[in-house]
Amino acid sequence: GTVVRELVHDGIRLASVGMVAGAILTIMGWFLARSMLYGIGVIDGLTVFVGAAVQVVTVCLAVWFAARRAARYDPAMVLRLD
């Protein structure tokens, strides 16, 4: 319960920071490419939204599966094995 919730929360928070940084860099790169290349139009909002949505779903599933797997083990036993 709580282990899964904490791990999922931490993973999603970390992924959110990465997605915000990626969005900023994407917009900056788009402006740079637009100034250097001929024929680059406006950013297609639907494409950007779908790409971000796919990333969010992928991150949530990956973090949830990893957290469920980590929650199966007793922390004291894992620390003793190291």
Side-chain angles (χ1 to χ4, degrees), residues 26-69:
T26 299
I27 292 169
M28 289 172 52
W30 176 75
F31 279 116
L32 179 65
R34 186 173 167 202
S35 69
M36 295 172 61
L37 300 173
Y38 178 75
I40 302 279
V42 297
I43 295 179
D44 183 13
L46 181 61
T47 303
V48 172
F49 175 75
V50 169
V54 168
Q55 285 181 342
V56 167
V57 169
T58 303
V59 165
C60 288
L61 286 174
V63 167
W64 183 67
F65 282 126
R68 279 190 42 209
R69 186 173 177 194

Side-chain angles (χ1 to χ4, degrees), residues 1 3-4 7 66-75:
V3 172
V4 173
L7 288 173
R68 279 190 42 209
R69 186 173 177 194
R72 286 190 293 197
Y73 300 105
D74 179 32

